[in-house]
PDB file of all heavy atoms in Angstrom:
ATOM      1  N   THR A 256      -6.191 -12.256  20.188  1.00 56.00           N
ATOM      2  CA  THR A 256      -6.283 -12.286  21.631  1.00 56.00           C
ATOM      3  C   THR A 256      -6.412 -10.909  22.174  1.00 56.00           C
ATOM      4  O   THR A 256      -6.047  -9.918  21.509  1.00 56.00           O
ATOM      5  CB  THR A 256      -5.024 -12.920  22.271  1.00 56.00           C
ATOM      6  OG1 THR A 256      -3.899 -12.091  21.900  1.00 56.00           O
ATOM      7  CG2 THR A 256      -4.781 -14.337  21.700  1.00 56.00           C
ATOM      8  N   ARG A 301     -10.726  -2.493 -13.132  1.00 97.00           N
ATOM      9  CA  ARG A 301     -10.255  -3.042 -14.337  1.00 97.00           C
ATOM     10  C   ARG A 301      -9.750  -1.884 -15.224  1.00 97.00           C
ATOM     11  O   ARG A 301     -10.007  -0.710 -14.906  1.00 97.00           O
ATOM     12  CB  ARG A 301     -11.379  -3.777 -15.119  1.00 97.00           C
ATOM     13  CG  ARG A 301     -12.003  -4.974 -14.365  1.00 97.00           C
ATOM     14  CD  ARG A 301     -10.988  -6.100 -14.259  1.00 97.00           C
ATOM     15  NE  ARG A 301     -11.621  -7.308 -13.651  1.00 97.00           N
ATOM     16  CZ  ARG A 301     -11.763  -7.542 -12.350  1.00 97.00           C
ATOM     17  NH1 ARG A 301     -11.334  -6.643 -11.396  1.00 97.00           N
ATOM     18  NH2 ARG A 301     -12.311  -8.669 -11.906  1.00 97.00           N
ATOM     19  N   ARG A 339       8.030 -18.696 -20.861  1.00 39.00           N
ATOM     20  CA  ARG A 339       8.700 -17.641 -21.552  1.00 39.00           C
ATOM     21  C   ARG A 339       9.614 -16.906 -20.539  1.00 39.00           C
ATOM     22  O   ARG A 339       9.158 -16.405 -19.497  1.00 39.00           O
ATOM     23  CB  ARG A 339       7.711 -16.616 -22.084  1.00 39.00           C
ATOM     24  CG  ARG A 339       8.351 -15.458 -22.802  1.00 39.00           C
ATOM     25  CD  ARG A 339       7.296 -14.606 -23.509  1.00 39.00           C
ATOM     26  NE  ARG A 339       7.898 -13.489 -24.245  1.00 39.00           N
ATOM     27  CZ  ARG A 339       7.172 -12.569 -24.890  1.00 39.00           C
ATOM     28  NH1 ARG A 339       5.910 -12.708 -24.908  1.00 39.00           N
ATOM     29  NH2 ARG A 339       7.808 -11.615 -25.563  1.00 39.00           N
ATOM     30  N   TRP A 341      11.107 -13.993 -19.543  1.00 37.00           N
ATOM     31  CA  TRP A 341      11.070 -12.510 -19.831  1.00 37.00           C
ATOM     32  C   TRP A 341      12.408 -11.870 -19.496  1.00 37.00           C
ATOM     33  O   TRP A 341      12.757 -10.879 -20.054  1.00 37.00           O
ATOM     34  CB  TRP A 341       9.936 -11.925 -19.004  1.00 37.00           C
ATOM     35  CG  TRP A 341       8.596 -12.269 -19.445  1.00 37.00           C
ATOM     36  CD1 TRP A 341       7.786 -13.293 -19.047  1.00 37.00           C
ATOM     37  CD2 TRP A 341       7.874 -11.601 -20.477  1.00 37.00           C
ATOM     38  NE1 TRP A 341       6.619 -13.287 -19.667  1.00 37.00           N
ATOM     39  CE2 TRP A 341       6.641 -12.236 -20.601  1.00 37.00           C
ATOM     40  CE3 TRP A 341       8.098 -10.488 -21.274  1.00 37.00           C
ATOM     41  CZ2 TRP A 341       5.630 -11.874 -21.461  1.00 37.00           C
ATOM     42  CZ3 TRP A 341       7.097 -10.087 -22.141  1.00 37.00           C
ATOM     43  CH2 TRP A 341       5.867 -10.737 -22.264  1.00 37.00           C
ATOM     44  N   LYS A 344      19.222 -13.452 -19.217  1.00 38.00           N
ATOM     45  CA  LYS A 344      20.309 -12.544 -19.459  1.00 38.00           C
ATOM     46  C   LYS A 344      20.667 -12.428 -20.908  1.00 38.00           C
ATOM     47  O   LYS A 344      21.121 -11.388 -21.369  1.00 38.00           O
ATOM     48  CB  LYS A 344      21.545 -13.057 -18.693  1.00 38.00           C
ATOM     49  CG  LYS A 344      21.332 -13.032 -17.152  1.00 38.00           C
ATOM     50  CD  LYS A 344      22.572 -13.498 -16.441  1.00 38.00           C
ATOM     51  CE  LYS A 344      22.394 -13.468 -14.947  1.00 38.00           C
ATOM     52  NZ  LYS A 344      23.626 -13.936 -14.222  1.00 38.00           N
ATOM     53  N   LYS A 345      20.363 -13.487 -21.734  1.00 38.00           N
ATOM     54  CA  LYS A 345      20.580 -13.384 -23.116  1.00 38.00           C
ATOM     55  C   LYS A 345      19.219 -13.620 -23.820  1.00 38.00           C
ATOM     56  O   LYS A 345      18.887 -14.752 -24.236  1.00 38.00           O
ATOM     57  CB  LYS A 345      21.578 -14.422 -23.604  1.00 38.00           C
ATOM     58  CG  LYS A 345      22.982 -14.211 -23.028  1.00 38.00           C
ATOM     59  CD  LYS A 345      23.943 -15.278 -23.521  1.00 38.00           C
ATOM     60  CE  LYS A 345      25.361 -15.048 -22.975  1.00 38.00           C
ATOM     61  NZ  LYS A 345      26.282 -16.058 -23.435  1.00 38.00           N
ATOM     62  N   ASP A 359       5.683   5.328 -12.771  1.00 83.00           N
ATOM     63  CA  ASP A 359       6.270   6.483 -12.059  1.00 83.00           C
ATOM     64  C   ASP A 359       5.325   7.652 -12.073  1.00 83.00           C
ATOM     65  O   ASP A 359       4.948   8.137 -13.185  1.00 83.00           O
ATOM     66  CB  ASP A 359       7.613   6.864 -12.625  1.00 83.00           C
ATOM     67  CG  ASP A 359       8.241   8.049 -11.960  1.00 83.00           C
ATOM     68  OD1 ASP A 359       8.243   8.076 -10.713  1.00 83.00           O
ATOM     69  OD2 ASP A 359       8.721   8.924 -12.690  1.00 83.00           O
ATOM     70  N   ALA A 398       8.973 -13.413   7.328  1.00 80.00           N
ATOM     71  CA  ALA A 398       8.228 -14.528   7.816  1.00 80.00           C
ATOM     72  C   ALA A 398       8.651 -15.904   7.278  1.00 80.00           C
ATOM     73  O   ALA A 398       8.688 -16.926   8.044  1.00 80.00           O
ATOM     74  CB  ALA A 398       6.723 -14.337   7.536  1.00 80.00           C
ATOM     75  N   GLN A 402      15.122 -17.964   1.016  1.00 95.00           N
ATOM     76  CA  GLN A 402      14.965 -19.086   0.071  1.00 95.00           C
ATOM     77  C   GLN A 402      13.577 -19.600  -0.113  1.00 95.00           C
ATOM     78  O   GLN A 402      13.120 -19.889  -1.231  1.00 95.00           O
ATOM     79  CB  GLN A 402      15.890 -20.231   0.529  1.00 95.00           C
ATOM     80  CG  GLN A 402      17.372 -19.909   0.534  1.00 95.00           C
ATOM     81  CD  GLN A 402      17.895 -19.550  -0.861  1.00 95.00           C
ATOM     82  OE1 GLN A 402      17.368 -19.999  -1.875  1.00 95.00           O
ATOM     83  NE2 GLN A 402      18.978 -18.754  -0.917  1.00 95.00           N
ATOM     84  N   HIS A 411       5.286 -18.141 -10.052  1.00 93.00           N
ATOM     85  CA  HIS A 411       4.278 -17.216 -10.452  1.00 93.00           C
ATOM     86  C   HIS A 411       4.563 -16.698 -11.859  1.00 93.00           C
ATOM     87  O   HIS A 411       5.672 -16.635 -12.333  1.00 93.00           O
ATOM     88  CB  HIS A 411       4.203 -16.055  -9.458  1.00 93.00           C
ATOM     89  CG  HIS A 411       3.581 -16.380  -8.176  1.00 93.00           C
ATOM     90  ND1 HIS A 411       3.938 -17.448  -7.389  1.00 93.00           N
ATOM     91  CD2 HIS A 411       2.483 -15.822  -7.540  1.00 93.00           C
ATOM     92  CE1 HIS A 411       3.168 -17.498  -6.317  1.00 93.00           C
ATOM     93  NE2 HIS A 411       2.330 -16.523  -6.355  1.00 93.00           N
ATOM     94  N   ARG A 436      16.491 -13.201  -8.334  1.00 90.00           N
ATOM     95  CA  ARG A 436      16.241 -14.633  -8.333  1.00 90.00           C
ATOM     96  C   ARG A 436      14.894 -14.983  -9.022  1.00 90.00           C
ATOM     97  O   ARG A 436      14.835 -16.022  -9.720  1.00 90.00           O
ATOM     98  CB  ARG A 436      16.240 -15.099  -6.923  1.00 90.00           C
ATOM     99  CG  ARG A 436      17.549 -15.008  -6.167  1.00 90.00           C
ATOM    100  CD  ARG A 436      18.540 -16.089  -6.665  1.00 90.00           C
ATOM    101  NE  ARG A 436      18.025 -17.407  -6.353  1.00 90.00           N
ATOM    102  CZ  ARG A 436      18.190 -18.059  -5.247  1.00 90.00           C
ATOM    103  NH1 ARG A 436      18.806 -17.456  -4.238  1.00 90.00           N
ATOM    104  NH2 ARG A 436      17.722 -19.269  -5.065  1.00 90.00           N
ATOM    105  N   LYS A 454       7.552  21.203  -5.780  1.00 33.00           N
ATOM    106  CA  LYS A 454       8.185  21.694  -7.026  1.00 33.00           C
ATOM    107  C   LYS A 454       8.750  20.545  -7.806  1.00 33.00           C
ATOM    108  O   LYS A 454       9.304  19.606  -7.290  1.00 33.00           O
ATOM    109  CB  LYS A 454       9.306  22.654  -6.630  1.00 33.00           C
ATOM    110  CG  LYS A 454       8.839  23.929  -5.974  1.00 33.00           C
ATOM    111  CD  LYS A 454       9.964  24.893  -5.629  1.00 33.00           C
ATOM    112  CE  LYS A 454       9.454  26.123  -4.934  1.00 33.00           C
ATOM    113  NZ  LYS A 454      10.568  27.031  -4.607  1.00 33.00           N
ATOM    114  N   GLY A 458      13.219  16.352  -4.712  1.00 38.00           N
ATOM    115  CA  GLY A 458      12.943  15.247  -3.912  1.00 38.00           C
ATOM    116  C   GLY A 458      12.125  14.129  -4.594  1.00 38.00           C
ATOM    117  O   GLY A 458      11.518  13.313  -3.892  1.00 38.00           O
ATOM    118  N   LEU A 472      18.607  -5.261 -12.883  1.00 64.00           N
ATOM    119  CA  LEU A 472      17.304  -5.542 -13.482  1.00 64.00           C
ATOM    120  C   LEU A 472      16.778  -4.325 -14.310  1.00 64.00           C
ATOM    121  O   LEU A 472      15.755  -4.512 -14.940  1.00 64.00           O
ATOM    122  CB  LEU A 472      16.325  -5.777 -12.311  1.00 64.00           C
ATOM    123  CG  LEU A 472      16.491  -7.058 -11.486  1.00 64.00           C
ATOM    124  CD1 LEU A 472      15.523  -7.064 -10.295  1.00 64.00           C
ATOM    125  CD2 LEU A 472      16.280  -8.269 -12.353  1.00 64.00           C
ATOM    126  N   ASP A 517      -8.355   5.749  22.011  1.00 97.00           N
ATOM    127  CA  ASP A 517      -7.642   7.046  22.231  1.00 97.00           C
ATOM    128  C   ASP A 517      -6.400   7.012  21.375  1.00 97.00           C
ATOM    129  O   ASP A 517      -5.635   6.036  21.394  1.00 97.00           O
ATOM    130  CB  ASP A 517      -7.308   7.173  23.654  1.00 97.00           C
ATOM    131  CG  ASP A 517      -6.523   8.379  23.980  1.00 97.00           C
ATOM    132  OD1 ASP A 517      -7.125   9.487  24.107  1.00 97.00           O
ATOM    133  OD2 ASP A 517      -5.290   8.254  24.085  1.00 97.00           O
ATOM    134  N   ALA A 542     -15.500   0.434  11.039  1.00 98.00           N
ATOM    135  CA  ALA A 542     -15.078   1.806  11.112  1.00 98.00           C
ATOM    136  C   ALA A 542     -14.129   2.044  12.258  1.00 98.00           C
ATOM    137  O   ALA A 542     -14.276   1.378  13.321  1.00 98.00           O
ATOM    138  CB  ALA A 542     -16.286   2.766  11.221  1.00 98.00           C
ATOM    139  N   GLY A 614     -20.501  10.409   7.312  1.00 93.00           N
ATOM    140  CA  GLY A 614     -21.848   9.959   7.411  1.00 93.00           C
ATOM    141  C   GLY A 614     -22.193   9.203   8.742  1.00 93.00           C
ATOM    142  O   GLY A 614     -23.362   8.934   9.043  1.00 93.00           O
TER     143      GLY A 614
END
Side-chain angles (χ1 to χ4, degrees):
T256 62
R301 300 293 186 274
R339 181 174 181 179
W341 289 93
K344 295 181 179 179
K345 296 180 179 180
D359 178 44
Q402 295 300 335
H411 285 54
R436 294 286 299 275
K454 296 181 180 180
L472 294 174
D517 176 81

